Amino acid sequence: MKLQEITINNFMPYKGEQKVSFPQHETQNVMLLFGDNMRGKTSFLNAIRWGFYGNAVGRHLRKISRASLVNMDAAAMGDWSMSISLKFSDSNKSYELRRQITKKAHVSSPRNDSDFEEKIGLRVNGVVVPGDVIVNEINQVLPEEISRFFLFDGELLQEYENLLIEGDEQGEKIKEHIEQVLGVPALINGRNELASLLKEARTLQAKDAKNNNELSSYAERQRQLSIQFDSFEKDLKEQKFQRDENQVQIDIIDDELKNTEAVQKKKIQLEGLKGNVEVIERNLVNLADQKRELLKTAWKDVLNTSIAPILSNLQSERDNLKKAVNNAAVLNNKIKDLTEMLDDPTCVTCHQNIPENEIEPLKEKYEILKAQAELSAVNMDDYTGITEKIDKLSRIRSAEEGRRILQTLTKESKEQVELIKVETKLEELNDEIKEYDTDHIMRQREKRDRLTGLKSRVVHAIESIKLKIEKNESEQDQISTLISKNKGAQGQQSSIRVNLYQELEQVFSQGIVQLRDSLRETVQQHASNAFAELTTEKTYSGLEINHNYGLSIIDHENRVLKERSAGAEQIVALSLIDGLNRTARKSGPIVMDTPLGRLDPKHRSNVLGYLPKMADQVILLVHEGEIDPKKDLNNFAERIGARYQIERISATESRIERVSDHG
Amino acid sequence: QLKAVRDKLNLAVETDLIC
């Protein structure tokens, strides 16, 4: 299948009519659509998807409502119509598909999907196709169930990792889609319908056998088994219904919990902030205790400034007293010497008599010294008193309580500012989540756990019933064979019918097992070939497939690589898609949004080299951070058939312009 | 890599019929 042209009218940011032609050349088969983020690359992918299937999906594959699909500016001007026309070819047939929605006449401002009317038209080779078979016609070309392998968002490729997780719901869904692209459902549907026809045939055979004396006991047993089988089938149906109901409820809760994920994050943040408040409040209590302790002796620090000069004065006074005592001692010694000299006038040094004329001055000196000694006499009680005062004042010296109190007060005010900040944030968060009932969220989580437990029990019951059905069918088979071998029944129409259905059912049943095995082998081979070209680690020996079609990387010593990077996951997912497309019964163009987002330059270069080989047409929706128009395009310029650029007109309007034509 | 299964099991059902 090849896309030829798309005409977009009022779809998301694309206001008015815009046409894009796809490259038809065999080797120049790549179309590049450049656009910055938020300009409309994903909308272009959605335009193709919506044109084919009437649905568009956002992130997390959520369906986008019809009202959101109509260009906002056009809607603001009262034009609530939107359409996509696609021209494409498949197996020498040309198709023209047009899908349109318009606001219903009585609705003024549409909100719900039901406020719109959808029209769809299809021509094949110019002939109009009746409305009731259009969907089947489209599905003959590119079935919606397998479109995920042709129209996809490169950012979501990591979902294929789920195939490696045993029992993963998402993985199961992907596996189902993989088998659809590989054509397994044709055999599964065939097997199921043949089993149903076989049951009908056995009933007819038992009716015939009832009239035969030799076979009536077999017929009776067959009848009983048939009743038992119906009962098992009924039980199985009920249990499956129960399982699906559980799953629906789990999905609803999961959706709700996803929506409240942001609230949950805020709630966790809230709990964290509450913890912060507790810590701050504890710190404040500790600081208050410290402050109280310091204040007990802080009076010392307050007195310290007054005491210091007094103490200093007392100390210098005591020093002066000490000096005076020393001076008095020196004077007394001198007086003592003079007294001795005057009593016995001989020189104390040379022991000669002192002349009479020198005695008079000595007497004068004696009088002077005596007068000085009297003047500088020290009262020792004063000295003791001062020393006692100094001792007392020294005992009330501080340990810098004032400075420490100041530090504590600074810390305290910082903590109080922090507390105000945290409490303000707490208030904001509380306001944001008050419309959500957080208790309800917790209850929903508990309910989900209960439902999961219940589902697991139901799945167990289903397995048990399936075993009983298998046993019952086996016995019915044996009885049918015994009846068929009876001479009276041989050649009877009912026995011939049973034999045919038995054999056909056997062929289809075993065919499913055989087909799955060989498909896995083929997909693994193709995917490994692709991986060898895409990976930059050339020592890896390839990929290994599991029963879910999940792929593991095998290293040079044949060991499974346990951890792989986001880039490696993307390379493996691309290899799987390539393997599936090469094995698949239907092939289509690959339209890929943001294909290179998680890749390093070397892997990017490998992928760009390989992508043109992945399909007859490859349409890449990229931004210039992924493919540098100046550098990267040289590597595969010969494969580019068309290049477009999304131009910003306004925040709500974009236009697609053709940049250059290589095709 | 249905007809092969039929051959392997040596069944009488015609390949034309093998629906």
Side-chain angles (χ1 to χ4, degrees), chain A residues 337-403:
Chain A
D337 287 348
L338 280 173
T339 306
E340 283 173 4
M341 279 171 76
L342 292 170
D343 289 348
D344 177 14
T346 51
C347 174
V348 288
T349 315
C350 62
H351 302 293
Q352 288 183 347
N353 286 335
I354 298 167
E356 203 59 46
N357 61 341
E358 286 181 10
I359 287 175
E360 203 52 42
L362 284 173
K363 278 183 179 174
E364 280 173 20
K365 193 178 180 184
Y366 171 82
E367 287 305 325
I368 290 166
L369 286 173
K370 207 154 163 72
Q372 275 181 348
E374 274 174 18
L375 280 171
S376 61
V378 174
N379 182 352
M380 284 314 286
D381 286 349
D382 288 351
Y383 185 86
T384 311
I386 287 171
T387 300
E388 277 177 7
K389 278 183 185 172
I390 286 172
D391 282 350
K392 281 178 182 171
L393 286 174
S394 293
R395 277 204 294 275
I396 55 172
R397 282 186 67 174
S398 77
E400 295 191 305
E401 281 87 349
R403 190 180 59 78

Side-chain angles (χ1 to χ4, degrees), chain A residues 187 194 500 503-504 506-508 510-512 514-515 518-519 521-522, chain B residues 1-14 17-19:
Chain A
L187 266 58
L194 285 165
L500 270 176
E503 291 197 348
L504 280 169
Q506 214 176 348
V507 164
F508 272 72
Q510 294 209 15
I512 293 167
Q514 297 282 323
L515 180 63
S518 61
L519 284 172
E521 206 176 299
T522 311
Chain B
Q1 277 189 319
L2 292 176
K3 286 178 179 174
V5 169
R6 178 231 180 236
D7 293 344
K8 188 181 161 194
L9 298 176
N10 201 16
L11 298 173
V13 62
E14 287 79 355
L17 184 57
I18 293 171
C19 287

Side-chain angles (χ1 to χ4, degrees), chain A residues 192 195-200 202-203 221-237 465-477 505:
Chain A
N192 293 344
S196 169
L197 289 166
L198 172 60
K199 186 171 164 274
E200 208 177 276
R202 278 183 183 142
T203 308
R221 180 63 187 145
Q222 190 74 298
R223 193 184 67 81
Q224 287 170 358
L225 284 169
S226 182
I227 291 167
Q228 197 183 51
F229 183 88
D230 287 345
S231 160
F232 288 152
E233 287 262 271
K234 190 167 166 267
D235 286 352
L236 187 64
K237 202 175 170 182
I465 295 169
K466 277 182 177 172
L467 284 174
K468 287 175 184 170
I469 286 176
E470 212 173 279
K471 203 176 159 194
N472 178 294
E473 282 185 314
S474 166
E475 197 177 341
Q476 285 202 56
D477 265 352
E505 200 250 8

Side-chain angles (χ1 to χ4, degrees), chain A residues 191-458:
Chain A
R191 190 261 326 263
N192 293 344
E193 291 182 356
L194 285 165
S196 169
L197 289 166
L198 172 60
K199 186 171 164 274
E200 208 177 276
R202 278 183 183 142
T203 308
L204 288 172
Q205 187 191 41
K207 263 186 188 171
D208 283 352
K210 204 176 166 186
N211 302 324
N212 180 330
N213 286 338
E214 289 177 50
L215 299 173
S216 58
S217 63
Y218 287 148
E220 178 53 25
R221 180 63 187 145
Q222 190 74 298
R223 193 184 67 81
Q224 287 170 358
L225 284 169
S226 182
I227 291 167
Q228 197 183 51
F229 183 88
D230 287 345
S231 160
F232 288 152
E233 287 262 271
K234 190 167 166 267
D235 286 352
L236 187 64
K237 202 175 170 182
E238 281 171 4
Q239 293 289 353
K240 280 184 172 174
F241 177 76
Q242 177 73 57
R243 178 197 62 189
D244 295 344
E245 279 290 289
N246 274 353
Q247 192 53 51
V248 166
Q249 287 193 49
I250 289 171
D251 287 346
I252 289 169
I253 292 174
D254 280 348
D255 269 356
E256 189 182 349
L257 291 177
K258 250 183 200 167
N259 287 335
T260 58
E261 243 171 42
V263 177
Q264 280 299 309
K265 277 181 188 165
K266 282 175 183 167
K267 195 161 190 294
I268 290 164
Q269 202 183 347
L270 198 75
E271 293 305 319
L273 287 172
K274 281 180 183 170
N276 288 356
V277 167
E278 279 176 22
V279 169
I280 293 170
E281 285 177 340
R282 224 174 11 246
N283 287 346
L284 283 169
V285 168
N286 289 340
L287 288 168
D289 287 347
Q290 279 177 31
K291 202 167 62 178
R292 230 185 337 269
E293 281 304 309
L294 286 167
L295 282 170
K296 279 181 187 171
T297 54
W299 59 272
K300 292 180 180 178
D301 211 44
V302 175
L303 286 179
N304 198 38
T305 46
S306 312
I307 286 171
I310 296 170
L311 200 58
S312 172
N313 287 340
L314 285 170
Q315 279 168 338
S316 61
E317 207 175 316
R318 190 170 65 174
D319 289 347
N320 290 339
L321 279 175
K322 258 186 189 174
K323 271 182 195 166
V325 168
N326 289 338
N327 288 341
V330 170
L331 282 173
N332 285 333
N333 279 339
K334 283 181 179 173
I335 288 167
K336 193 182 150 204
D337 287 348
L338 280 173
T339 306
E340 283 173 4
M341 279 171 76
L342 292 170
D343 289 348
D344 177 14
T346 51
C347 174
V348 288
T349 315
C350 62
H351 302 293
Q352 288 183 347
N353 286 335
I354 298 167
E356 203 59 46
N357 61 341
E358 286 181 10
I359 287 175
E360 203 52 42
L362 284 173
K363 278 183 179 174
E364 280 173 20
K365 193 178 180 184
Y366 171 82
E367 287 305 325
I368 290 166
L369 286 173
K370 207 154 163 72
Q372 275 181 348
E374 274 174 18
L375 280 171
S376 61
V378 174
N379 182 352
M380 284 314 286
D381 286 349
D382 288 351
Y383 185 86
T384 311
I386 287 171
T387 300
E388 277 177 7
K389 278 183 185 172
I390 286 172
D391 282 350
K392 281 178 182 171
L393 286 174
S394 293
R395 277 204 294 275
I396 55 172
R397 282 186 67 174
S398 77
E400 295 191 305
E401 281 87 349
R403 190 180 59 78
R404 287 160 64 198
I405 286 174
L406 195 64
Q407 278 181 343
T408 307
L409 286 170
T410 309
K411 278 184 190 169
E412 202 174 39
S413 67
K414 272 186 184 172
E415 291 285 355
Q416 277 164 344
V417 168
E418 188 59 27
L419 185 64
I420 290 166
K421 274 187 193 170
V422 171
E423 285 181 332
T424 308
K425 185 71 186 160
L426 265 176
E427 249 175 65
E428 283 172 8
L429 283 173
N430 267 323
D431 278 350
E432 284 171 24
I433 66 170
K434 71 178 174 194
E435 61 184 285
Y436 292 92
D437 181 349
T438 47
D439 286 343
H440 171 72
I441 293 170
M442 293 303 286
R443 283 198 297 275
Q444 289 295 76
R445 283 186 184 284
E446 286 164 11
K447 188 178 174 187
R448 191 194 184 285
D449 290 344
R450 279 201 306 277
L451 285 167
T452 307
L454 181 61
K455 193 186 133 192
S456 139
R457 287 194 291 279
V458 170

Side-chain angles (χ1 to χ4, degrees), chain A residues 524-588:
Chain A
Q524 177 180 295
Q525 187 56 56
H526 286 311
S528 288
N529 293 344
F531 183 73
E533 291 203 39
L534 292 170
T535 184
T536 54
E537 183 48 79
K538 298 302 179 189
T539 61
Y540 290 152
S541 64
L543 298 172
E544 186 178 81
I545 202 161
N546 68 9
H547 69 284
N548 276 341
Y549 304 89
L551 291 168
S552 303
I553 300 174
I554 305 299
D555 73 6
H556 61 291
E557 288 184 358
N558 273 334
R559 295 170 304 196
V560 170
L561 206 69
K562 296 285 182 199
E563 294 296 326
R564 49 203 211 188
S565 65
E569 284 176 9
Q570 187 149 5
I571 292 292
V572 171
L574 281 172
S575 303
L576 173 63
I577 287 172
D578 188 50
L580 292 173
N581 285 341
R582 286 175 195 281
T583 311
R585 306 184 56 68
K586 290 185 179 297
S587 64

